[in-house]
């Protein structure tokens, strides 16, 4: 009943939203959505189990155990994989809860650090990632352009992290929504005479909620807050009439982010300060210990090369790279080239996404740990830039073909 109600509500919302657009858009939206689901399902069933998937699966099992036993007050006491917030691992526990105790029978009870998680359970977890990756693509199609959703669909980073039991699917979605709402709230504050009317306080506060959820899923994706902050400073400088209101509501913005982080991160309920301190200390120590394991230019490898051929600096391939059969597409190189072509146009039209890309890549260079998962923080703005790059390329080709003697097709 719960599953049926959920899918009925999902399709009703999507249908209602898409029905307001043109017929051609509806067809493109449906085609891309179905295509992404088919591609991600192929990857979901064919990718080998990654190292981290077992860790997050065991964490989800612990949360599911508490939920199935109706011991909700004990959920915040789960300290396994404490270095990451609880939200995404709670999401992965949903298939286990719906499946009941049979999930535990497959791995053996009690669940411990060395439990061998079966492939069947991984598939049910992976379906959660696929769903949130689908939502991300659909929001890109609806709010930006179908090409952005298309590039997200064929991007190999999205294929891996959007169909495996990793921590990226939820924060990628909500970080984009936070940036989008912030930009729509602030972008029109240009002059003193219309700044007050142009400021959209509702979208600004929605951005805060989405940023809080992003933090509750994975802290590293909050790098988007820097881009949002730069746009906010620009709005404060330009919007003299709205400055006081913007400052007051931004104080509420900060409060919503903090409250959202703690509300959607149950692991922090009993000891908020201690939990955050433990998380931060772990990652600071980890990145310090991992510094030098990979070359300084490794982030460029992750964002410019497709996963199957992106050789890490230490030469150790992950299981997905060793057995890349699960990839249907691996077009990251073409997407990156198109993104370079579209940077100038993206800056003119939607500058916040360029800021997101710049600060995200800069962080990857300075952060000691240079794992492949950090490339997921900037894949969305790369896909958006590639959309603008496609437009630029089409215009140049049309101009080229218009010259006498060039078009010999």
């Amino acid at each position: 009943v719960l599953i049926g109600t959920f899918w009925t509500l999902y399709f009703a919302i999507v249908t209602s939203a898409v029905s307001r657009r043109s017929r051609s858009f509806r067809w493109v939206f449906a085609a891309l959505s179905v295509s992404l689901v088919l591609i991600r399902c192929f990857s979901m069933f064919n990718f080998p189990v990654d190292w981290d998937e077992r860790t997050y699966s065991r964490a989800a099992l612990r949360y599911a155990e508490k939920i199935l036993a109706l011991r909700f007050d004990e959920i915040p006491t789960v300290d396994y994989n404490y270095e990451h917030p609880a939200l995404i691992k709670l999401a992965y526990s949903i298939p286990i809860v719906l499946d009941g105790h049979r999930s535990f029978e497959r791995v053996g009870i009690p669940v411990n650090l060395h439990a061998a998680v079966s492939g069947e359970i991984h598939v049910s977890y992976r379906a959660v990632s696929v769903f949130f990756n689908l939502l991300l693509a659909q929001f890109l199609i609806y709010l930006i352009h179908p090409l952005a959703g298309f590039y997200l669909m064929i991007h190999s980073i999205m294929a891996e992290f959007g169909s495996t039991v990793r921590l990226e699917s939820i924060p990628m979605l909500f970080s984009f929504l936070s940036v989008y709402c912030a930009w729509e709230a602030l972008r029109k504050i240009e002059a003193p005479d219309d700044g007050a009317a142009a400021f959209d306080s509702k979208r600004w506060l929605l951005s805060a909620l989405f940023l809080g959820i992003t933090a509750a899923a994975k802290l590293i994706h909050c790098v988007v807050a820097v881009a949002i902050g730069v746009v906010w400073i620009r709005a404060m400088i330009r919007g003299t009439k709205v400055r006081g209101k913007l400052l007051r509501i931004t104080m509420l913005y900060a409060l919503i982010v903090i409250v959202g982080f703690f509300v959607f991160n149950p692991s922090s309920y009993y000891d908020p300060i201690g939990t955050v301190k433990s998380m931060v200390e772990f990652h600071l120590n980890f990145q310090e210990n991992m510094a030098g394991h990979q070359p300084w230019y490794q982030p460029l490898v992750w964002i410019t090369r497709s996963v199957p051929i992106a050789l890490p600096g230490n030469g150790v391939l992950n299981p997905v790279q060793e057995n890349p059969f699960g990839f249907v597409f691996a077009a990251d190189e073409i997407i990156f080239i198109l993104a370079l072509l579209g940077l100038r146009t993206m800056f003119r039209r939607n500058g916040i996404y360029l800021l997101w890309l710049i600060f995200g890549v800069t962080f990857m260079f300075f952060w000691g740990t240079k794992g492949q998962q950090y490339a997921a923080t900037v894949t969305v703005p790369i896909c958006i830039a590639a959309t603008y790059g496609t437009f630029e390329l089409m215009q140049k080709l049309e101009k080229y073909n218009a010259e006498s003697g060039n078009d010999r097709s």
Side-chain angles (χ1 to χ4, degrees), residues 237-409:
I237 294 173
R238 295 192 176 190
T240 54
K241 277 194 173 182
V242 77
R243 190 173 295 160
K245 179 182 179 181
L246 180 56
L247 183 59
R248 290 192 301 271
I249 295 183
T250 299
M251 296 173 67
L252 180 59
Y253 183 105
L255 179 63
I256 291 175
V257 172
I258 296 171
V259 172
F261 168 71
F262 288 113
V263 167
F264 289 98
N265 178 30
S267 61
S268 65
Y269 284 2
Y270 294 155
D271 184 15
I273 304 300
T275 300
V276 174
K277 182 181 177 182
S278 298
M279 288 181 185
V280 174
E281 287 180 347
F282 175 90
H283 289 292
L284 289 176
N285 292 333
F286 185 75
Q287 67 94 25
E288 185 177 341
N289 293 333
M290 293 296 292
H293 281 224
Q294 292 180 330
W296 66 269
Y297 57 82
Q298 189 63 44
L300 290 177
V301 177
W302 297 138
I303 66 175
T304 59
R305 306 301 301 274
S306 297
V307 171
I309 58 175
L311 185 67
N314 58 12
V316 179
L317 300 177
N318 66 28
V320 172
Q321 289 176 306
E322 290 180 348
N323 182 16
F325 174 73
F327 288 102
V328 178
F329 293 100
D332 300 14
E333 293 81 3
I334 296 176
I335 295 173
F336 182 76
I337 292 172
L338 289 172
L340 292 179
L341 293 176
L343 289 179
R344 185 176 64 176
T345 304
M346 184 170 71
F347 176 72
R348 291 201 311 265
R349 297 186 182 180
N350 291 293
I352 194 169
Y353 299 113
L354 180 59
L355 293 173
W356 178 1
L357 179 58
I358 291 172
F359 289 123
V361 173
T362 301
F363 169 81
M364 292 169 65
F365 277 115
F366 282 97
W367 191 247
T369 312
K370 302 190 184 300
Q372 181 185 4
Q373 66 272 21
Y374 297 112
T377 62
V378 295
T379 304
V380 169
I382 286 175
C383 291
I384 295 174
T387 300
Y388 289 114
T390 304
F391 300 153
E392 287 287 320
L393 182 60
M394 290 173 62
Q395 291 177 0
K396 293 181 185 301
L397 287 175
E398 289 178 359
K399 185 177 180 180
Y400 173 84
N401 289 332
E403 295 182 10
S404 178
N406 285 347
D407 187 2
R408 296 176 179 269
S409 57

Side-chain angles (χ1 to χ4, degrees), residues 27-319:
W27 277 106
V28 170
F29 184 91
L32 288 175
S33 298
V34 172
S35 298
L36 184 139
V37 170
L38 292 176
I39 291 170
R40 293 293 182 266
C41 285
F42 179 83
S43 300
M44 180 177 73
F45 282 101
N46 288 285
F47 276 150
V49 176
D50 187 80
W51 303 313
D52 290 337
E53 287 191 274
R54 292 185 173 89
T55 299
Y56 306 137
S57 297
R58 296 185 191 111
L61 283 168
R62 283 160 170 75
Y63 287 116
E65 184 181 22
K66 305 298 184 185
I67 296 172
L68 289 169
L70 302 181
R71 299 199 300 267
F72 300 108
D73 59 314
E74 296 181 12
I75 290 177
T77 66
V78 176
D79 58 359
Y80 181 70
N81 191 234
Y82 71 91
E83 62 268 25
H84 293 295
L87 180 59
I88 182 67
K89 291 169 286 188
L90 277 169
Y92 286 136
S93 73
I94 293 174
I96 312 172
V97 172
L98 296 178
D99 193 27
H101 288 282
R102 286 175 293 177
S103 297
F104 293 96
E105 294 171 1
R106 297 192 190 107
V107 300
I109 296 178
V111 180
N112 53 61
L113 293 177
H114 303 290
V117 183
S118 71
E120 184 176 352
I121 288 182
H122 275 305
V123 168
S124 67
Y125 290 154
R126 286 176 168 184
V128 176
S129 282
V130 171
F131 174 70
F132 282 103
N133 198 243
L134 170 65
L135 287 182
L136 174 58
Q138 288 180 328
F139 274 113
L140 280 173
I141 295 167
Y142 191 84
L143 299 176
I144 304 298
H145 193 276
L147 271 176
F150 172 76
Y151 289 134
L152 187 94
M153 178 181 72
I154 66 174
H155 202 287
S156 66
I157 288 287
M158 290 294 100
E160 180 176 354
F161 292 94
S163 55
T164 57
V165 188
R166 309 295 287 275
L167 300 179
E168 273 63 39
S169 58
I170 289 181
M172 284 191 299
L173 167 64
F174 286 100
S175 60
F176 164 68
L177 291 177
S178 179
V179 171
Y180 174 81
C181 289
W183 182 238
E184 292 301 313
L186 301 176
R187 65 185 301 179
K188 295 180 181 178
I189 302 177
E190 296 288 345
D193 57 340
D194 63 358
F199 175 51
D200 189 337
S201 59
K202 292 181 180 179
R203 286 187 176 180
W204 184 233
L205 296 180
L206 266 179
S207 170
L209 176 62
F210 293 143
L211 186 59
I213 297 175
T214 300
K218 192 172 184 180
L219 290 172
I220 209 72
H221 286 261
C222 288
V223 67
V224 299
V226 183
I228 294 173
V230 171
V231 174
W232 176 79
I233 292 173
R234 168 182 172 271
M236 287 287 291
I237 294 173
R238 295 192 176 190
T240 54
K241 277 194 173 182
V242 77
R243 190 173 295 160
K245 179 182 179 181
L246 180 56
L247 183 59
R248 290 192 301 271
I249 295 183
T250 299
M251 296 173 67
L252 180 59
Y253 183 105
L255 179 63
I256 291 175
V257 172
I258 296 171
V259 172
F261 168 71
F262 288 113
V263 167
F264 289 98
N265 178 30
S267 61
S268 65
Y269 284 2
Y270 294 155
D271 184 15
I273 304 300
T275 300
V276 174
K277 182 181 177 182
S278 298
M279 288 181 185
V280 174
E281 287 180 347
F282 175 90
H283 289 292
L284 289 176
N285 292 333
F286 185 75
Q287 67 94 25
E288 185 177 341
N289 293 333
M290 293 296 292
H293 281 224
Q294 292 180 330
W296 66 269
Y297 57 82
Q298 189 63 44
L300 290 177
V301 177
W302 297 138
I303 66 175
T304 59
R305 306 301 301 274
S306 297
V307 171
I309 58 175
L311 185 67
N314 58 12
V316 179
L317 300 177
N318 66 28

